[in-house]
Amino acid sequence: MQSVFLYLRAINFRMMKVYKFGGASVSTIERIKQTADILRAHKEEKILVVISAMGKTTNALEKVAEAFFDKRNPEALQLFEAIKEQHIAVARQLLSQTLRGQYDEAYNRLFSFFTEIEWLLHDKPVQSYDYYYDQIVCIGELLSTAIMSAYFEETGIANTWIDVRDILRTDDIFRAANIDWKFSQQQVDTIIKPLFLTNNIVVTQGFIAATDENESTTLGREGSDYTAAVFANMLDTKSLTVWKDVPGIMSADPAKDSNATVFDTLTYQEMTEISHNGAKVIHPKTIKPLQDKDIPMFVKCFLDYKLPGTVISNGH
Ligand code: ASP
Ligand code: MG
């Protein structure tokens, strides 16, 4: 252990970054390739990559949870089957099935997640809806990151995949769980930091976590931004970049107001006000962990990474 700590001192975490890719960046094959291109251009840097579920997977999983809780088990299984097939199709399109390809390993990982959920879907609900919601919905992020990590690996981005439920601990307020900062920080220090001695890139899930009894929890819809900010805080990184399908934080909804412009800079305070005013750009809990450690957040467009985007900081 001692020697690991000596090596860790050699890694300057202040030079590290956190990247967050939302559901839109992994919603189509083309977008997944774009996401990988961005990461490949930065693979010499140490980056923790937080990824959401693909496209509208979380909404689809919510339907599975509802059907299960209403005791419509066959329907729940059928809805889940569609989600399974979608993910297998994406994995097939992205990953090579040759001996050296990543498909088999990724498929095995996907399969073990599928099996976990299917076991549950055969049961009868005896606990709260929110409990089952989290056990089912958490699978979206696990599936997307399993595929993405394999695709990164196959396209020359050496990385380590990690189940965030082994790192971020929460209470058991299902669907709105609160981070246990002390325990989670310890896990970041002893598990996440040493991973960067092996690979520059570590891939993990947004939005999900676990209780001290290893039950899955979620942090609230769109919570992946918050996960990314929690990691930036705990690793004390140089910055957090949230990659979105818009050119940055806009002054108004461009679909409704043709005069909408992109903010070049915003203060933490201004960004907090914008997100509390209901603009669905960044999860409102994201700013505080960044502000506490004075870590700037870049909001950039994954469709055109040359655009400057918006930088949110203390303003100095
Ligand atoms: N996949 C989750 C959601 O759709 C979390 C996120 O995207 O941030 O709410
Ligand atoms: Mg999302």
Side-chain angles (χ1 to χ4, degrees):
M1 212 53 186
Q2 176 116 39
S3 62
V4 169
F5 283 121
L6 282 178
Y7 278 122
L8 281 178
R9 229 179 279 154
I11 298 181
N12 184 354
F13 287 94
R14 249 309 185 180
M15 293 308 290
M16 256 196 72
K17 294 176 179 172
V18 176
Y19 277 5
K20 184 261 174 173
F21 293 102
S25 357
V26 290
S27 60
T28 64
I29 299 291
E30 196 196 339
R31 286 177 167 204
I32 289 172
K33 290 184 175 167
Q34 246 154 346
T35 294
D37 287 346
I38 291 173
L39 201 56
R40 203 172 302 105
H42 297 270
K43 69 174 184 176
E44 304 309 327
E45 300 173 45
K46 298 209 179 286
I47 304 174
L48 180 91
V49 182
V50 171
I51 306 179
S52 304
M54 292 179 169
K56 300 279 175 236
T57 306
T58 304
N59 294 359
L61 286 164
E62 285 183 337
K63 296 271 182 294
V64 175
E66 282 162 25
F68 168 75
F69 200 70
D70 284 350
K71 302 197 179 74
R72 290 180 275 123
N73 299 55
E75 189 185 334
L77 282 158
Q78 202 184 338
L79 291 167
F80 188 62
E81 191 61 35
I83 297 169
K84 266 171 73 172
E85 278 164 22
Q86 266 171 14
H87 284 83
I88 293 172
V90 172
R92 263 213 199 101
Q93 285 179 74
L94 286 173
L95 305 172
S96 150
Q97 290 164 54
T98 60
L99 207 55
R100 284 162 172 264
Q102 292 288 321
Y103 180 79
D104 286 349
E105 206 184 312
Y107 183 82
N108 288 341
R109 194 171 266 167
L110 297 181
F111 191 81
S112 67
F113 293 134
F114 294 152
T115 312
E116 227 177 277
I117 297 298
E118 280 165 345
W119 269 90
L120 189 156
L121 294 180
H122 282 98
D123 273 352
K124 294 230 170 324
V126 289
Q127 302 214 43
S128 72
Y129 174 68
D130 290 353
Y131 167 82
Y132 288 113
Y133 178 103
D134 282 2
Q135 309 320 303
I136 294 168
V137 164
C138 72
I139 221 77
E141 270 67 15
L142 293 162
L143 299 176
S144 72
T145 53
I147 295 173
M148 293 303 292
S149 166
Y151 181 64
F152 292 153
E153 195 71 33
E154 198 165 285
T155 57
I157 307 165
N159 70 93
T160 312
W161 178 92
I162 184 122
D163 187 334
V164 78
R165 296 174 301 175
D166 294 331
I167 310 297
L168 297 183
R169 176 176 286 182
T170 63
D171 59 16
D172 61 358
I173 314 277
F174 296 105
R175 295 185 70 182
N178 300 293
I179 303 274
D180 174 340
W181 282 81
K182 194 159 169 252
F183 183 88
S184 306
Q185 177 74 62
Q186 265 171 27
Q187 299 299 86
V188 166
D189 291 341
T190 56
I191 301 176
I192 296 283
K193 285 183 178 175
L195 295 178
F196 286 99
L197 297 170
T198 315
N199 280 320
N200 278 343
I201 309 288
V202 172
V203 174
T204 200
Q205 307 79 36
F207 176 55
I208 70 173
T211 67
D212 57 357
E213 291 179 20
N214 283 327
E215 298 155 318
S216 300
T217 54
T218 64
L219 308 173
R221 286 301 305 264
E222 303 302 327
S224 294
D225 295 338
Y226 178 55
T227 303
V230 168
F231 274 119
N233 176 298
M234 290 181 177
L235 290 163
D236 206 354
T237 60
K238 184 179 175 198
S239 61
L240 161 63
T241 304
V242 175
W243 295 93
K244 295 188 73 77
D245 57 356
V246 290
I249 306 290
M250 310 278 296
S251 60
D253 182 348
K256 293 186 193 138
D257 183 348
S258 59
N259 292 323
T261 52
V262 177
F263 291 114
D264 298 329
T265 60
L266 285 170
T267 63
Y268 294 123
Q269 185 61 34
E270 287 164 336
M271 188 65 229
T272 305
E273 281 162 24
I274 290 173
S275 53
H276 281 289
N277 283 339
K280 281 202 167 156
V281 271
I282 295 292
H283 191 283
K285 281 169 87 175
T286 309
I287 302 305
K288 177 121 195 332
L290 300 175
Q291 189 167 14
D292 285 350
K293 291 255 174 105
D294 206 2
I295 298 167
M297 172 166 75
F298 298 91
V299 177
K300 286 186 63 88
C301 184
F302 67 82
L303 300 166
D304 186 355
Y305 62 86
K306 295 204 180 74
L307 293 175
T310 304
V311 53
I312 297 119
S313 69
N314 66 16
H316 301 299

